[in-house]
């Protein structure tokens, strides 16, 4: 009978490439989504979006998936936050950037989701 790992693949060498892809996607989400909101709504709302996109994943985390967790959350919450950031990156890119850039962001987002699958399986087991 196999025992479940105490730490996620995110905390091992296996997690390096997914982490780089995830951080790249997060960085794009932090730029593109507030930009899109500012263009279509208001700068104040764009600041709120920016704070939410950075703040939620900073505050909430799954024990064993990060070195430090401020507020412990189940694995599905961590997955939902990653999905939110990936969606924000793609949405924002398609609204404010040229088509070629939005296509590149979409490809990066797809690669991120595929690379995250082992981590997500681990997170769903918590």
């Amino acid at each position: 009978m196999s025992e479940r790992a105490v730490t996620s693949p995110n905390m091992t060498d296996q997690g390096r490439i997914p982490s780089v892809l995830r951080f790249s996607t997060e960085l794009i989400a932090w730029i593109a989504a507030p930009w899109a909101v500012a263009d279509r709504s208001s700068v104040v709302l764009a600041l709120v979006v920016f704070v939410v996109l950075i703040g939620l994943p900073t505050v909430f985390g799954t024990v064993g998936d990060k070195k430090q967790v401020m507020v412990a959350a189940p694995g599905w919450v961590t997955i939902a936050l990653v999905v939110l950031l990936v969606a924000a990156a793609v949405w924002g890119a398609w609204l404010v950037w040229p088509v070629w850039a939005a296509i590149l962001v979409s490809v990066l987002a797809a690669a991120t989701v595929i690379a995250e699958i082992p981590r997500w399986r681990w997170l769903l087991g918590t």
Side-chain angles (χ1 to χ4, degrees):
M1 195 157 118
S2 68
E3 197 171 299
R4 188 173 174 282
V6 176
T7 59
S8 82
N10 190 44
M11 300 294 288
T12 66
D13 285 341
Q14 180 186 358
R16 291 190 196 281
I17 291 173
S19 292
V20 169
L21 294 172
R22 185 174 61 251
F23 179 72
S24 300
T25 306
E26 288 173 351
L27 187 59
I28 291 167
W30 300 337
I31 296 166
W35 184 350
V37 171
D39 275 358
R40 282 154 181 72
S41 184
S42 72
V43 173
V44 173
L45 186 56
L47 288 172
V48 170
V49 168
F50 181 73
V51 168
V52 166
L53 290 176
I54 290 177
L56 288 178
T58 301
V59 172
F60 296 99
T62 303
V63 176
D65 189 51
K66 286 182 169 181
K67 289 183 182 179
Q68 292 184 329
V69 174
M70 294 173 128
V71 177
W76 66 266
V77 172
T78 299
I79 294 169
L81 292 172
V82 173
V83 169
L84 172 70
L85 285 158
V86 169
V90 172
W91 173 78
W94 279 101
L95 286 179
V96 295
W97 291 349
V99 172
W100 64 267
I103 290 170
L104 289 176
V105 170
S106 299
V107 169
L108 173 64
T112 299
V113 169
I114 291 166
E116 284 285 290
I117 290 173
R119 177 178 177 232
W120 290 358
R121 284 187 181 136
W122 183 88
L123 285 165
L124 289 174
T126 58

